[in-house]
Amino acid sequence: MKIRYALPVMLALSSFANAVELHHVTVRTGTDGLDMVPLTISNAGSEGLSCNADFAHWYSAGIATVEPGKSARIELWFDAKTGTFTILNDKRENLPVERLWCGLSGRAYATRVQVTLDRADAAKGERDVSCAMAQDSLVCR
């Protein structure tokens, strides 16, 4: 048997062939059972902001760009049973938020600061954050 045929056959019969299991994942859609907790991010600085959300350890997306002196409103949804904040995508699928952060436009990752979310924000029904530079670093409170 030629090597070009042997290698694929050996790999197919090896334990590596079973290394990945595919499972059906049910994705929650819509807002039933969720409370809206809008997040308003105000830019009190002199440079633009780029704000992002990490939805899983492997996926993140930009959620807002905020010019100096302006604000952006992001619709967050809160599940009181699990304590999870979510953002809806264009298909109204729930994307659980692992982390929110903002940084200066053009160098957002290098200047990033985390925007915290907790149950107290959900109880208030909103979260307002103002970001500006303070002693060579971005601060969002």
Side-chain angles (χ1 to χ4, degrees):
M1 185 184 289
K2 291 186 178 184
I3 211 138
R4 71 176 186 195
Y5 298 115
L7 187 57
V9 170
M10 290 171 44
L11 287 174
L13 297 175
S14 73
S15 62
F16 293 116
N18 295 322
V20 175
E21 285 187 52
L22 299 178
H23 298 279
H24 176 72
V25 176
T26 303
V27 177
R28 183 176 182 173
T29 59
T31 59
D32 288 344
L34 302 177
D35 299 316
M36 185 192 249
V37 183
L39 168 65
T40 302
I41 300 172
S42 300
N43 185 349
S46 59
E47 295 184 57
L49 294 177
S50 176
C51 298
N52 301 272
D54 296 339
F55 298 111
H57 62 277
W58 50 269
Y59 180 70
S60 64
I63 57 170
T65 301
V66 189
E67 295 303 320
K70 303 288 184 185
S71 297
R73 184 177 182 267
I74 296 119
E75 282 189 8
L76 294 177
W77 296 88
F78 181 72
D79 184 341
K81 291 179 186 173
T82 64
T84 303
F85 285 89
T86 63
I87 291 177
L88 302 181
N89 67 10
D90 59 343
K91 298 174 191 166
R92 299 193 47 82
E93 295 169 330
N94 289 209
L95 302 175
V97 175
E98 191 173 279
R99 183 177 305 105
L100 285 175
W101 54 274
C102 294
L104 300 175
S105 294
R107 50 196 172 114
Y109 192 78
T111 59
R112 72 191 178 281
V113 62
Q114 186 168 333
V115 175
T116 59
L117 300 170
D118 60 36
R119 288 183 178 269
D121 301 326
K124 283 192 314 187
E126 65 182 356
R127 173 80 162 107
D128 295 321
V129 175
S130 179
C131 298
M133 290 297 291
Q135 296 186 7
D136 297 329
S137 65
L138 185 64
V139 175
C140 294
R141 297 180 199 172

